[in-house]
Amino acid sequence: MLDDRKAAILGALVHAFVDGGEPVSSAAIARVANLGVSSATIRNELVKLEQDGYVVQPHTSAGRVPTAAAYRYYVQHLAGPARLRRAVRSRIERFFAEAHLRDLFQEASDLLADLSHLPAVVVGPGLGSDVLKDVHLFQVSPKVVKVVLVTESGNVSQNFAPVARSVSSHEIDAAERLLAQAFVGRDVSEGVDAAAELPDARSADVRSLVRVAAGVAQKSKQSVRKLYYGGTSQLTNLWGNLAELHWLLEFLEAEDAVLEVLDETGDGTTVRIGDELPVGGTDLAVVTTTFETGYEGTGRVGVIGPMRMDYRRTIRLVEEVGEGLGESLGD
């Protein structure tokens, strides 16, 4: 732990750098930290903070900038809970009061990006524990059937399945009715179990269709959860380094990599900075929180931005949007 004076200097440095984006001088810290000590004393403390890995000096004549370790210390020890302006809180409350379930994840991601001025992402909970609302079968060719699963939270899974021989529209309809009987109102696992226990007094082709569709549903349970991005157009304003910007664009297109980063953040609200991320070594920070779907499943919402961000406000925004998502889906 840093002593009180070093902590105050570090906090003032982080605030000033986040606000201005330029190296911060000891004189500037003396003006805002109000410690009652000279700039020379602050310079000596900055040297010690630099030796401990909390600050760096880009040039000998420049001020200091915080490192990833400084941001981590700030988040853990100095960044108390933020208070959002009334207009911001009202906008979030109004959004969730008027939001439509169908587009909830995408619109919530857009809202968070707009409020935080950072790229935002919402990760849907997937089908695993989500309750199914509809099951549909469509014959797309003589021996291929499309299985569509629709959940209460708006997730849609579409998969194609081969069948042994050409089936009639009557057999498709009969199988669809049986699948609805087994799956609607249950999660995927429960639906698969219920489908296995359906009465056997049907034609062999209908029973085969039910087994095929149940198998597709089981595989859909493990399907990759959908990502909903907002604010990606802001990337060029946040990262001026073209090589880093190119890497970030490739990273965001690799959904498995993004999911890995978000899934490793654990439950609740988490902040991971720089080398703490599995794609460390770059100017990157991720603030996320979990939300409950109301169907025993969880999703995640958060922002992906540079290390230089207003962590207090960003954390509060992410939590407010996460709470709104949980309440909307729970209701």
Side-chain angles (χ1 to χ4, degrees):
M1 288 284 292
L2 299 175
D3 61 45
D4 290 345
R5 187 160 70 187
K6 286 188 180 67
I9 290 171
L10 186 65
L13 172 69
V14 169
H15 280 293
F17 184 70
V18 168
D19 286 343
E22 299 291 337
V24 184
S25 68
S26 56
I29 293 174
R31 286 195 299 271
V32 299
N34 196 26
L35 293 173
V37 298
S38 67
S39 294
T41 300
I42 291 176
R43 273 196 303 274
N44 291 334
E45 295 286 32
L46 287 170
V47 169
K48 295 174 184 176
L49 287 169
E50 187 171 358
Q51 292 169 346
D52 291 337
Y54 291 106
V55 303
V56 293
Q57 190 175 23
H59 310 288
T60 55
S61 60
R64 266 77 172 187
V65 300
T67 64
Y71 290 120
R72 167 52 57 198
Y73 190 93
Y74 175 82
V75 168
Q76 288 184 323
H77 303 292
L78 304 177
R83 291 179 60 85
L84 299 177
R85 289 186 295 112
R86 180 176 297 178
V88 173
R89 295 198 309 272
S90 296
R91 183 177 172 188
I92 295 172
E93 290 168 1
R94 188 168 60 252
F95 169 83
F96 284 107
E98 300 172 355
H100 298 288
L101 186 62
R102 175 179 297 177
D103 301 315
L104 180 63
F105 290 155
Q106 182 59 61
E107 292 181 357
S109 181
D110 292 337
L111 172 71
L112 180 56
D114 192 40
L115 293 173
S116 67
H117 308 296
L118 295 166
V121 61
V122 174
V123 185
L127 299 182
S129 53
D130 207 345
V131 173
L132 292 170
K133 179 182 178 181
D134 288 305
V135 182
H136 299 289
L137 298 181
F138 301 95
Q139 189 166 17
V140 295
S141 73
K143 293 188 177 181
V144 177
V145 172
K146 181 166 74 170
V147 183
V148 179
L149 307 174
V150 183
T151 73
E152 294 282 1
S153 67
N155 279 333
V156 178
S157 169
Q158 303 183 63
N159 292 278
F160 297 94
V163 292
R165 70 167 188 84
S166 180
V167 290
S168 68
S169 59
H170 296 297
E171 290 169 326
I172 291 281
D173 291 342
E176 187 176 270
R177 286 193 295 272
L178 285 172
L179 288 164
Q181 179 183 330
F183 280 92
V184 173
R186 298 184 172 99
D187 67 28
V188 171
S189 294
E190 294 170 338
V192 170
D193 292 340
E197 297 174 2
L198 286 169
D200 222 16
R202 299 289 190 280
S203 74
D205 291 315
V206 170
R207 292 197 302 272
S208 176
L209 266 176
V210 170
R211 285 195 297 271
V212 166
V216 168
Q218 181 64 37
K219 291 179 181 177
S220 296
K221 179 184 176 181
Q222 308 300 330
S223 63
V224 175
R225 290 165 294 164
K226 189 170 181 181
L227 301 179
Y228 302 83
Y229 289 116
T232 53
S233 60
Q234 301 179 43
L235 288 170
T236 53
N237 298 325
L238 296 167
W239 284 276
N241 184 304
L242 290 179
E244 194 155 55
L245 178 60
H246 181 71
W247 177 88
L248 283 162
L249 289 170
E250 288 186 345
F251 166 68
L252 292 175
E253 288 177 359
E255 293 194 352
D256 288 346
V258 177
L259 281 167
E260 179 185 0
V261 166
L262 298 176
D263 282 342
E264 288 189 0
T265 52
D267 294 331
T269 302
T270 59
V271 181
R272 300 180 76 192
I273 302 167
D275 289 339
E276 296 170 357
L277 293 159
V279 290
T282 188
D283 179 18
L284 192 67
V286 176
V287 179
T288 65
T289 195
T290 52
F291 62 87
E292 299 292 329
T293 67
Y295 311 108
E296 301 179 1
T298 59
R300 292 199 76 86
V301 57
V303 298
I304 300 172
M307 290 190 290
R308 179 187 157 233
M309 70 167 70
D310 185 344
Y311 288 95
R312 292 177 70 247
R313 184 174 185 274
T314 301
I315 290 168
R316 190 69 222 129
L317 284 171
V318 168
E319 290 176 341
E320 289 280 351
V321 173
E323 289 169 10
L325 281 167
E327 290 172 3
S328 296
L329 294 168
D331 292 340

